[in-house]
Amino acid sequence: MRIKTMDELFVETLKDIYYAEKHIVKALPDMVKKAHGGELKKALENLRSETKEQINRLEKAFEMLDVSPRARKCEAIEGILRESEEDMAAIEDEDVRDAGMIGSAQAIEHYEICRYGTLIEWAKDLGRNDVAALLGQSLEQEKNADKLLTQIARSTTNRLAAGGAAA
Amino acid sequence: MRIKTMDELFVETLKDIYYAEKHIVKALPDMVKKAHGGELKKALENLRSETKEQINRLEKAFEMLDVSPRARKCEAIEGILRESEEDMAAIEDEDVRDAGMIGSAQAIEHYEICRYGTLIEWAKDLGRNDVAALLGQSLEQEKNADKLLTQIARSTTNRLAAGGAAA
């Protein structure tokens, strides 16, 4: 694969995040199942339905650019998800596992925040404010999800502190 | 490896970012070499010396916790760096490659911002404000580096637009 122009780089990066979103949506049910706290379980379920919306938006973006929607292997998200699975398997205590899962979910969110941020800037540079606006909706969702996870992290570790496991 | 407590999760995550930083510092010279724009080259060189400082801080944190500094394989950063290498090899045009490299460098930064953010929260919960303050210095560096890369991205794509490659 050779990339020659910004337009091509844009499309390749769109394919990268498309692959990422499709893998995230597959990884989330297991995370929901393993989550202990009700708030976290709900947040991860919500993340799953938002990820589906984000996949739809990416397909719409491909359509707007007259490119067929194709995924391009994203090694970054594969690494992030593999690490998340390993951590989930390694942690015995339910509350400690929740804390670890929140950390993993935030690593996923940050990867997406970064990629959407880059794509939005490039879309604007390429004169595609319509595509930038569409992807901007996904970026906002990701940022809000990240904030919510930080809040849940605080209540999880408070619970841990109360139970003495964090002492 | 079994993780039972928040203290153990904290140390394991510290080992994860220690591995990440050590791999980033090794990957940066090649990125510096391949960068075309002077501003980007300088920013990546600066990132390298900051990464060395961050490694020193992590070693100091291990010392404060009375744990021997050890790296734990971080699949996430391996994926991010592999993707960055592939992109660099695939892009022919120097300015387009710079744009791609900035995107990769920001993916690296965001992974670190996220992990340091989590570690700082956990350190506070565990009553280690001293460790939190130390890691806070690295988090500030990462955030500033990310902002600088966004600025350089804008001037790079402006140059591209002027040259017509982004039209």
Side-chain angles (χ1 to χ4, degrees):
Chain A
M1 192 243 332
R2 308 298 305 164
I3 299 170
K4 285 174 190 161
T5 64
M6 275 309 291
D7 300 78
E8 285 175 10
L9 180 60
F10 183 81
V11 170
E12 288 306 314
T13 309
L14 209 57
K15 289 178 183 171
D16 174 283
I17 192 79
Y18 187 49
Y19 181 101
E21 295 285 20
K22 286 180 120 180
H23 277 68
I24 293 164
V25 88
K26 275 184 215 157
L28 279 166
D30 192 42
M31 291 175 79
V32 171
K33 214 172 92 187
K34 284 182 181 140
H36 174 58
E39 262 188 311
L40 177 59
K41 215 179 246 298
K42 204 175 138 197
L44 292 171
E45 265 164 10
N46 194 43
L47 214 55
R48 192 173 170 228
S49 58
E50 285 184 350
T51 306
K52 284 180 189 168
E53 290 173 31
Q54 288 152 14
I55 291 172
N56 289 340
R57 270 185 218 116
L58 288 171
E59 286 167 357
K60 174 92 185 140
F62 281 115
E63 200 186 306
M64 287 158 85
L65 296 165
D66 250 326
V67 178
S68 58
R70 211 170 289 169
R72 173 189 166 213
K73 188 175 171 157
C74 168
E75 307 240 27
I77 205 69
E78 291 207 336
I80 292 169
L81 292 175
R82 201 153 46 225
E83 202 164 296
S84 158
E85 281 163 30
E86 283 171 10
D87 280 356
M88 280 195 288
I91 307 175
E92 290 167 6
D93 181 273
E94 286 168 336
D95 286 323
V96 177
R97 189 165 56 233
D98 273 9
M101 280 174 66
I102 294 167
S104 299
Q106 289 192 296
I108 296 170
E109 288 309 308
H110 270 264
Y111 183 73
E112 296 185 275
I113 287 169
C114 169
R115 285 302 190 202
Y116 280 120
T118 298
L119 280 167
I120 290 164
E121 287 298 320
W122 289 349
K124 286 182 196 162
D125 293 331
L126 293 166
R128 294 304 304 245
N129 287 334
D130 53 346
V131 177
L134 181 69
L135 300 179
Q137 294 171 32
S138 297
L139 181 60
E140 275 314 298
Q141 282 185 324
E142 305 288 4
K143 283 185 180 170
N144 289 333
D146 183 53
K147 271 184 214 148
L148 178 62
L149 287 167
T150 300
Q151 284 168 22
I152 299 173
R154 289 199 181 120
S155 66
T156 304
T157 45
N158 283 344
R159 199 165 62 229
L160 270 163
Chain B
M1 193 243 329
R2 308 298 304 166
I3 299 170
K4 286 175 190 160
T5 63
M6 276 308 292
D7 300 79
E8 285 175 11
L9 180 60
F10 182 82
V11 169
E12 287 308 313
T13 309
L14 208 59
K15 288 178 183 172
D16 174 283
I17 193 75
Y18 187 50
Y19 181 101
E21 296 284 20
K22 286 181 121 180
H23 277 69
I24 294 163
V25 88
K26 275 185 213 158
L28 279 166
D30 192 42
M31 292 176 79
V32 171
K33 213 171 95 188
K34 284 180 182 143
H36 175 57
E39 262 189 310
L40 177 58
K41 215 179 248 295
K42 204 175 137 196
L44 293 171
E45 265 164 11
N46 193 41
L47 214 55
R48 193 175 170 228
S49 57
E50 285 184 351
T51 306
K52 285 181 190 168
E53 290 173 32
Q54 287 152 16
I55 291 173
N56 288 340
R57 269 185 217 115
L58 288 170
E59 286 168 355
K60 172 92 185 141
F62 281 116
E63 200 186 304
M64 286 159 85
L65 296 164
D66 250 327
V67 177
S68 57
R70 212 171 287 171
R72 173 190 165 210
K73 188 173 173 160
C74 168
E75 306 240 24
I77 205 69
E78 290 208 335
I80 293 169
L81 293 175
R82 204 153 44 226
E83 202 165 294
S84 159
E85 281 164 28
E86 283 170 11
D87 280 356
M88 280 195 288
I91 308 175
E92 287 167 9
D93 180 272
E94 286 169 336
D95 286 324
V96 177
R97 188 164 57 232
D98 273 9
M101 278 173 66
I102 293 167
S104 300
Q106 289 191 297
I108 295 170
E109 288 308 308
H110 269 264
Y111 182 73
E112 296 186 275
I113 286 168
C114 168
R115 286 302 191 201
Y116 280 120
T118 298
L119 280 166
I120 289 164
E121 287 299 319
W122 288 349
K124 285 181 196 161
D125 293 330
L126 293 167
R128 295 303 304 247
N129 286 333
D130 52 346
V131 177
L134 181 69
L135 301 179
Q137 295 172 32
S138 297
L139 180 61
E140 274 316 297
Q141 282 186 324
E142 305 288 4
K143 284 186 179 170
N144 289 333
D146 183 54
K147 271 185 215 148
L148 178 63
L149 287 166
T150 300
Q151 284 168 23
I152 299 173
R154 289 202 179 120
S155 66
T156 303
T157 46
N158 284 344
R159 199 165 64 230
L160 271 163

